[in-house]
Structures are given as C-alpha cells and as structure tokens.
Amino acid sequence: MMCEEHMIESVFEPPGVNRARPCKPAEARRAVERAVAERCRTTHTACDANALSDALLVASELTTNAILHGGGVTDFRVDIDGPGVRLSVSDRSDELPVTAPPTDPHGRLRHGGHGWPIVCRLSRDVRVSDLPAGGKCITAVVPLS
C-alpha cells in the first residue's frame, strides 16, 4: 500500500521523529486523538469531548471517502489550527466530492452517501484543492470548542 511508504512528522515531536502516515480511518482517528490530547496537555485546557468526537468523525469520513472513491489515501495531515483541528486528506482522484440524493432514480433508498454532508456540516471551513501531480487534497477545519 502506498501510504505505508510515506512518513509524517508531528508538529509536537522533535524533527526527525517519523511516524507512519495514516491510511485507514482508525489510524487517522488515532492521529487526531494524539494531536488534540497533546494540545490540551500543552495548553493546560480541558478537551471538549463532543468537539473531539466531531473531529474524529470528520477524519474517519475523509479517509473512508479517499479509500472508497479516491483510489486510496496518498497523504494525511492533522494540525491544530488555533481553536480547531485542520485535517488534510489527499487521494489519487481528480473527481470532486458530491452529495448523492437519498434515493435512486427508481425511488429506492440508497445506502451510504452520508460522509460528505457530515464533513460539511461539522467543519467550519472545507476546501478541495487539485494536486500538481494529479489527485486532490481535501482540507477541513473542525472547531475544538
């Protein structure tokens, strides 16, 4: 898997301390938990459990969508951005995310299709950028309070 070849340097660790880049939703959630816990520890503030849950859900949805619709996660970053968590997930697809109607053309309920609306609802800023080598990067900022 391509992700395992990439390394990430945490903003909370000394330069040169590398960690495998998250490829799966569970790995992305753990990276978000570590970043938020470290921020709360260094700022001596309590972590808002609901805000953390929102950030974990957005990380999970973005990585799941990259796997299901984008040809896999090619990059993942998590940063604390002032009062929020900035999540960036890159994949191989140039296709923009879409919100699917809840029913198909025959009126039958569709399964899935809830991830992108969840990301948009829980994030205060969502951006989709084309990558120079192809693919896209989706960046979402989820408030921590």
Side-chain angles (χ1 to χ4, degrees), residues 82-136:
V85 179
R86 185 181 335 112
L87 305 165
S88 296
V89 179
S90 299
D91 63 38
R92 293 179 179 87
S93 174
D94 296 323
E95 300 276 325
L96 295 176
V98 295
T99 302
T103 57
D104 69 13
H106 302 289
R108 295 178 295 232
L109 286 176
R110 293 182 194 265
H111 294 287
H114 305 289
W116 185 242
I118 288 170
V119 168
C120 293
R121 173 174 274 181
L122 297 179
S123 304
R124 73 161 175 256
D125 187 19
V126 179
R127 296 169 192 247
V128 181
S129 309
D130 290 326
L131 297 174
K136 67 181 168 300

Side-chain angles (χ1 to χ4, degrees), residues 18-92:
N18 291 320
R19 179 175 286 154
R21 186 169 311 287
C23 291
K24 298 176 183 154
E27 295 166 350
R29 288 190 301 270
R30 283 192 294 274
V32 170
E33 286 175 326
R34 282 192 303 268
V36 172
E38 182 63 22
R39 183 227 190 189
C40 292
R41 201 169 21 258
T42 59
T43 60
H44 306 291
T45 57
C47 290
D48 181 323
N50 290 330
L52 176 59
S53 291
D54 289 351
L56 296 175
L57 182 55
V58 170
S60 191
E61 293 297 338
L62 288 176
T63 51
T64 297
N65 284 351
I67 292 164
L68 293 178
H69 309 294
V73 177
T74 57
D75 194 17
F76 177 89
R77 297 193 185 274
V78 56
D79 300 295
I80 303 302
D81 180 27
V85 179
R86 185 181 335 112
L87 305 165
S88 296
V89 179
S90 299
D91 63 38
R92 293 179 179 87

